[in-house]
Amino acid sequence: MNTEKDFSPLTPNIVRALNDKLYEKRKVAALEIEKLVREFVAQNNSTQIRHVIQILASEFALSQHPHSRKGGLIGLAACSIALGKDSGLYLKELIEPVLTCFNDSDSRLRYYACEALYNIVKVARGAVLPHFNVLFDGLSKLAADPDPNVKSGSELLDRLLKDIVTESNKFDLVAFVPLLRERIYSNNQYARQFIISWILVLESVPDINLLDYLPEILDGLFQILGDSSKEIRRTCEVVLGEFLKEIKKTPSSVKFAEMANILVIHSNDLIQLTAMTWMREFIQLAGRVVLPYSSGILTAVLPCLSYDDRKKSTKEAASACNHSLMKLVTPEDDEDEEETGSGDSQPREDSPPKTEGDTNVCVPITLSCVLPFLPVFSLLNSADRSQVTLDLDGIVQVLDRHLHDSSTGMMTRISVLKWLYHLYIKTPRKMFRHTDSLFPMLLKTLSDESDEVILKDLEVLAEIASSPAGQTDSSGSCDNSDSKLELQVPDGAKAGPQTVVGDSSPSTPSMNSYFYKFMINLLKRFCLERKLLENRGAFIIRQLCLLLHAENIFHSMADILLKEEDLKFASTMVQTLNTILLTSAELFQLRNQLKDLRTQESCALFCCLYRSWCHNPVATVSLCFLTQNYRHAYDLIQKFGDLEVTVDFLMEVDKLVQLIESPIFTYLRLQLLDVENNPYLIKALYGLLMLLPQSQAFQLLSHRLRCVPNPELMRTVDESKYIESKPVGTKRPTYTHMDYNDLLQHFDRVQSKHLEVRHQRSGRADHPDRKLML
């Protein structure tokens, strides 16, 4: 040690005692120092006071010798006690050397440092608040100290400091938040417990508005919420619950936009549930303020909708978020961009420029890479709420991505399609800008394994096909077909509501330019995916008939199939359509329209169907039975002798016989009672009978024909009395004249093509490509 003058005004006895290894001697020295400092205080000798503190700090507390460091700590505590209320003038000199000892490798010394700081703080009370950050930083380290005694001492100091902060109205929250934001990401459980306890205390102080800084610590709180310690999680839930209460009380001052991005990036079960709960409240409280950030919210919410009962609470909260967010989209979001600003995330020209401080203000840098496709939320105060803009481009991108993802759950897919339908209803003009990119995936979704998904998908496609906003001058902009398919929308398909296009125009409301595009691509998909046609074809077409008018569906498909080059597919498709037409309850009105052919429109529809139905001879006959064209049916059956009769052909005749016995053809069976006026009906049925081998269907039809009242009356009416378009006994108007000879010739031409193709196919493999030439 140095000579005595080097430590003046400390006496040699004090110096020796401070360096002693015994605590009792160091304590005696501390009492002497306290007495000495009190004298300096009485003399108002601040120079000597600072000199004593400087010696105790540099020569003892920061010494290389452990006993000297212990002496320095107790000496500094003695100085603080002696200074009393004046200790605030020397706090920096008193605190810094003590905090340095917090990092000492000797646990006993760390404990003494904690004890010394406790005495310094206890004396200074509110005066220590300007030094709060350094005290908090030191305490946060001791909270995770492995020595139980040190930890116990730090807890006493921690409670004292919390009491001081609670009592004071001079706490500098602005200066403290950056440190809190840094420390909140600690992974140590004790440090987390320390942090969360402080946040709970600060939240309870009326004069401290921690809610303003919640965006800066919210992510850290959710990290802590995922801690393995049940106690820490429970405390964190309490803290978050208190914040949520405050948010509900003062929603107008809450920075919803800054926090919403934080809520969407957490996937741990408990964290996700809390995040969804918060998001639900945010959407309900902030309303349209969150619309610009809908894509980020949907990214987090949509996957939760497919959770099972093990995550029922999260699923319900996410469902509520989804429902509330969807309700925020209104027709006003479809207004012109010139009026409302751009629909994308680019800032408006009149928006205030971002300052340097705005960068990453709400999302910590460590999390900015978690979901790179999420928009970073900019500041949005209450004054801007009336100017919010729907992020339609972002929403569509998220929805499209979920549709493309094969791992997306069924309920999520349904919700995605509900969103698309909702957007087409509320914002049709803007949505049709995305139709070209969405259309292929919507068609692909028709192959989904879930009927409910297919139903929602059909609703979206039907809205696209029928919305007035989808009317365009040409189909080129909406064509995303395979490059091998050259598709052009016929003039009739582009006709407006007041336009009549020849005899091929349906009488139901006209569809838009996408309708014909939809029908062509749907048939193409049926052709390329025969399993889809077999398993879901009838289901899809029946639902479309409900959504888009059956006449439109059948008229357009018949028109397209008329030009179909894959004749085998055309025959199969006609057979499918014919079965739907004759058996489905959804087609009741269309069957009635065709049954009597009382109008020019119904006759035009019959001719349109007939020309395509010729791809399948038995279907053509059944269409004639449905429309009561019995003589023409008989003429067709007469031609069957020239066709190639196969097993499949006979099976179709068998099915037609079964249909004749069904309720659909009740009127036909009753007409058998009027033999004189329906001779060609009976002759047509006998023609079917002669085609059949003696099978069960043969017996069924034979038995039916034996029930005809009097075989002697089965003679034909004199030809001179038969008017082609109006047989005796019928009630059809004369203006529904049709050229049946032309129809027969068309039937011959189509069947000749089928025969030629079958012969070609027998010599080579079926070519997978097909082309529609319209």
Side-chain angles (χ1 to χ4, degrees), residues 525-712:
R525 193 155 197 89
F526 283 153
C527 182
L528 297 177
E529 293 187 38
R530 297 301 173 89
K531 286 292 183 184
L532 175 63
L533 177 59
E534 293 173 12
N535 300 331
R536 299 288 180 80
F539 171 73
I540 290 172
I541 293 170
R542 281 166 37 218
Q543 295 304 319
L544 284 175
C545 287
L546 291 175
L547 293 166
L548 290 174
H549 301 286
E551 184 179 349
N552 280 320
I553 301 300
F554 274 75
H555 195 287
S556 59
M557 286 191 171
D559 191 30
I560 296 166
L561 289 170
L562 188 60
K563 290 89 174 178
E564 175 60 63
E565 290 192 347
D566 186 340
L567 299 185
K568 184 177 180 182
F569 166 71
S571 177
T572 302
M573 195 67 223
V574 165
Q575 184 182 3
T576 302
L577 290 170
N578 189 64
T579 302
I580 295 170
L581 176 62
L582 294 178
T583 61
S584 298
E586 295 86 352
L587 277 295
F588 175 79
Q589 187 174 351
L590 186 61
R591 283 196 297 272
N592 277 351
Q593 183 180 344
L594 288 167
K595 185 176 176 181
D596 293 323
L597 299 181
R598 292 181 176 275
T599 64
Q600 194 66 39
E601 290 80 5
S602 61
C603 290
L605 177 61
F606 166 73
C607 290
C608 178
L609 297 182
Y610 180 95
R611 293 182 182 278
S612 289
W613 260 232
C614 286
H615 283 298
N616 189 295
V618 179
T620 312
V621 170
S622 67
L623 181 64
C624 291
F625 281 157
L626 175 66
T627 56
Q628 302 182 64
N629 283 296
Y630 300 135
R631 178 169 181 173
H632 194 71
Y634 170 70
D635 291 339
L636 286 172
I637 292 171
Q638 287 293 96
K639 291 181 175 292
F640 283 6
D642 299 328
L643 302 180
E644 182 180 3
V645 178
T646 63
V647 173
D648 288 340
F649 179 88
L650 292 175
M651 288 178 63
E652 290 181 36
V653 176
D654 189 297
K655 291 178 181 177
L656 176 55
V657 171
Q658 302 292 336
L659 276 173
I660 290 172
E661 295 296 322
S662 71
I664 297 295
F665 282 113
T666 300
Y667 67 92
L668 181 148
R669 298 194 300 273
L670 287 173
Q671 287 172 349
L672 292 174
L673 296 173
D674 187 3
V675 177
E676 183 176 357
N677 287 319
N678 295 290
Y680 286 100
L681 169 58
I682 298 171
K683 294 185 70 157
L685 294 179
Y686 268 108
L688 291 180
L689 186 66
M690 294 304 109
L691 286 171
L692 286 168
Q694 296 199 23
S695 59
Q696 183 179 359
F698 177 91
Q699 299 298 331
L700 188 65
L701 184 54
S702 175
H703 182 72
R704 172 64 63 186
L705 289 171
R706 284 200 298 271
C707 295
V708 172
N710 188 347
E712 291 296 322

Side-chain angles (χ1 to χ4, degrees), residues 371-384:
L371 292 177
F373 48 80
L374 289 181
V376 178
F377 295 156
S378 59
L379 297 175
L380 187 65
N381 57 41
S382 58
D384 300 321

Side-chain angles (χ1 to χ4, degrees), residues 192 220-229 233 236 268 270-271:
R192 283 181 164 182
L221 285 172
F222 275 102
Q223 297 279 4
I224 295 175
L225 190 60
D227 195 275
S228 58
S229 168
R233 292 198 305 270
C236 190
N268 175 281
L270 177 59
I271 302 177

Side-chain angles (χ1 to χ4, degrees), residues 298-299 302-303 306 395-421 423-424 431 434-435 437-450 452-454 456-458 460-461 464 525:
L298 284 175
T299 300
L302 288 173
S306 292
I395 291 176
V396 172
Q397 183 183 1
V398 171
L399 298 176
D400 188 49
R401 185 169 56 248
H402 278 88
L403 275 186
H404 277 84
D405 188 353
S406 58
S407 64
T408 300
M410 183 189 74
M411 295 307 298
T412 299
R413 296 199 301 278
I414 291 172
S415 295
V416 166
L417 293 167
K418 285 182 177 178
W419 260 102
L420 289 173
Y421 181 77
L423 292 173
Y424 272 109
M431 274 302 293
H434 300 278
T435 299
S437 60
L438 291 170
F439 201 70
M441 195 60 213
L442 290 172
L443 283 168
K444 186 177 180 181
T445 305
L446 291 175
S447 301
D448 198 276
E449 59 185 17
S450 165
E452 194 170 351
V453 171
I454 294 175
K456 295 300 176 186
D457 190 38
L458 288 172
V460 178
L461 286 165
I464 291 174
R525 193 155 197 89

Side-chain angles (χ1 to χ4, degrees), residues 405-533:
D405 188 353
S406 58
S407 64
T408 300
M410 183 189 74
M411 295 307 298
T412 299
R413 296 199 301 278
I414 291 172
S415 295
V416 166
L417 293 167
K418 285 182 177 178
W419 260 102
L420 289 173
Y421 181 77
H422 184 72
L423 292 173
Y424 272 109
I425 293 293
K426 299 296 183 182
T427 59
R429 289 190 299 169
K430 289 184 178 179
M431 274 302 293
F432 268 96
R433 301 170 193 170
H434 300 278
T435 299
D436 292 348
S437 60
L438 291 170
F439 201 70
M441 195 60 213
L442 290 172
L443 283 168
K444 186 177 180 181
T445 305
L446 291 175
S447 301
D448 198 276
E449 59 185 17
S450 165
D451 285 352
E452 194 170 351
V453 171
I454 294 175
L455 281 173
K456 295 300 176 186
D457 190 38
L458 288 172
E459 287 183 12
V460 178
L461 286 165
E463 183 60 29
I464 291 174
S466 60
S467 173
Q471 189 65 47
T472 59
D473 293 333
S474 66
S475 63
S477 63
C478 63
D479 189 6
N480 287 302
S481 307
D482 192 298
S483 58
K484 296 180 180 180
L485 276 171
E486 297 296 332
L487 305 177
Q488 296 296 327
V489 177
D491 293 338
K494 293 185 286 186
Q498 303 302 320
T499 305
V500 178
V501 185
D503 290 337
S504 62
S505 176
S507 58
T508 51
S510 296
M511 299 294 102
N512 63 31
S513 304
Y514 284 87
F515 173 75
Y516 212 77
K517 154 79 173 185
F518 176 28
M519 293 297 102
I520 291 173
N521 281 274
L522 178 59
L523 288 175
K524 176 193 173 186
R525 193 155 197 89
F526 283 153
C527 182
L528 297 177
E529 293 187 38
R530 297 301 173 89
K531 286 292 183 184
L532 175 63
L533 177 59

Side-chain angles (χ1 to χ4, degrees), residues 610 614 635-636 639 642-643 741-754:
Y610 180 95
C614 286
D635 291 339
L636 286 172
K639 291 181 175 292
D642 299 328
L643 302 180
N741 287 328
D742 179 66
L743 294 178
L744 281 174
Q745 290 171 13
H746 176 75
F747 178 83
D748 288 338
R749 288 193 299 270
V750 172
Q751 286 305 307
S752 293
K753 289 183 181 179
H754 276 267

Side-chain angles (χ1 to χ4, degrees), residues 132-146:
F132 179 82
N133 276 17
V134 293
L135 294 174
F136 183 88
D137 184 50
L139 271 177
S140 66
K141 296 173 183 176
L142 290 188
D145 198 285

